[in-house]
Amino acid sequence: MNAPYLLPAMLALAVGTYALRWTGPALRHRLRLSARTIHLLDTGALILLAALVATATLPTGSGELGIALPAGVAVGGILAWRRAPLLVAVLAAATTTAVLRLIGMH
């Protein structure tokens, strides 16, 4: 990596990221979306999150899935579905996985 180009590249990426984050709230009241479009966007976000959970849960290369990780993800998913706070869902999922691994259920 060429050091003279690293800092400007990082700054450009940071500015671009904040610009993208800013456009959502800034354009929210200027764009009129149909109810169907809003429904499709909500569904797309849900599918994206489900795909993220699936790729984070499934084994990559090792071939061993075990029970602890899917059980932890299931607990977190159920808590998120029941609209528990995100921190509670994440901590419960991590705790479930850790406890199951601690008692020997990998």
Side-chain angles (χ1 to χ4, degrees), residues 11-54:
L11 288 174
L13 286 173
V15 169
T17 299
Y18 281 110
L20 279 174
R21 293 182 66 121
W22 175 79
T23 55
L27 296 177
R28 184 179 191 143
H29 298 291
R30 294 183 182 187
L31 292 176
R32 301 264 183 221
L33 300 174
S34 67
R36 177 162 171 76
T37 302
I38 291 172
H39 177 72
L40 288 174
L41 287 173
D42 288 343
T43 303
L46 183 63
I47 291 171
L48 183 64
L49 285 174
L52 180 65
V53 167

